[in-house]
Amino acid sequence: MVVKWLTALGITGVIFALSVHQIPEGHVGIYYRGGALLTSLTAPGFHVMTPFLTSVKIVQTTLQTDEVKNIPCGTSGGTMIYFEKVEVVNILNREAVIEIVRNYTVNYDRTLIFDKIHHEVNQFCSVHTLQEVYIDLFSSIDEHLKRTLQYDLNILAPGLYVSSIRVTKPKIPEAIRRNYETMEQEKTQYMVTTAHQRVVEKEGETDRHRAVIEAEKIAQVARIHYEQKILGKESEKRIAEIESEMHLARERSLADANKYKSDTEAESNKLKLTPEYLKLSMYQSLARNTKIYFGNSIPKIFMTANEILHDEK
């Protein structure tokens, strides 16, 4: 009896263990019953299903990175190269999980991403030369793949979005790689030489510019000194003209004053030298003369008015 109870308890425990399952965060659970996909989704957490009849698959609905490795492709010139790795960062919308899994199974990324990347890389290589793929257009390959892949996904699997694509440098034949390295070294040397030449030209231009500035400064200083001398000479000339005008005005004033004095004295003398005044002046002069002359013939130096008039006649 105890054995039966233990057996039943064991079977119940196994069934319970098979029916309970866990969905991790960032994922959803989808269910198959008898091989048919059910339309129900379960969120993260613990859930119960019918064992043996129902199976669960876990699908990620957060950002994930799919690595597509060793992609061979031939360029338009016939050279075979290999892309070691292409990383595709994508995310699946939760609402589109059932439809995409129904059309492309749980391994939808194998068909929609891996196979499409192989196809698009080969398409790109087939219409471009090795120089374009390896050097000229390499920086635009990731954007080209993202654009073309997303365009196809919008048609084939709406709800699956490509966030970004990273492409590694392709492997090329060793002989060609050495040629590219040699060419890169020569290009680097040319760039160094060109840069040095530009530096030398810039230094020469700077020296010329400095010399021009120095010459302009000297010319400006000389012009300022010249203008100062001109202003000084003009000031001296103006001062001399002012002094000359002042002297001329002063001399003219003195001449006018002397003329006025002479005219005034002449007018005064004309009015003052009357016969009576002359006689008075004579007598005053004789009175002041204290000299005495001795001799037989003393000159007659004084004359009366009557004698003067007589002599004039």
Side-chain angles (χ1 to χ4, degrees), residues 177-231:
R177 186 186 64 81
R178 286 196 298 268
N179 291 337
Y180 273 113
E181 289 179 353
T182 303
M183 184 175 62
E184 191 67 23
Q185 291 175 357
E186 294 176 352
K187 181 179 178 181
T188 303
Q189 183 63 34
Y190 172 76
M191 292 176 61
V192 171
T193 304
T194 304
H196 178 69
Q197 182 179 357
R198 285 199 298 265
V199 170
V200 172
E201 292 176 353
K202 192 65 177 180
E203 290 177 351
E205 183 180 351
T206 302
D207 292 339
R208 289 193 297 272
H209 188 60
R210 187 183 298 111
V212 170
I213 293 176
E214 188 68 23
E216 290 178 351
K217 183 177 71 174
I218 294 174
Q220 290 177 357
V221 172
R223 184 166 57 253
I224 292 173
H225 289 168
Y226 174 76
E227 292 176 353
Q228 288 178 343
K229 289 182 180 180
I230 295 297
L231 290 176

Side-chain angles (χ1 to χ4, degrees), residues 57 65 103 121 127 188 206 239 294 302:
K57 298 292 183 180
T65 302
N103 293 330
V121 168
V127 295
T188 303
T206 302
I239 291 172
F294 298 93
F302 297 104

Side-chain angles (χ1 to χ4, degrees), residues 286 289 291-303 307:
L286 289 174
N289 188 8
K291 293 183 179 181
I292 301 175
Y293 297 91
F294 298 93
N296 295 325
S297 59
I298 299 174
K300 189 177 180 180
I301 62 174
F302 297 104
M303 300 176 65
E307 291 174 343

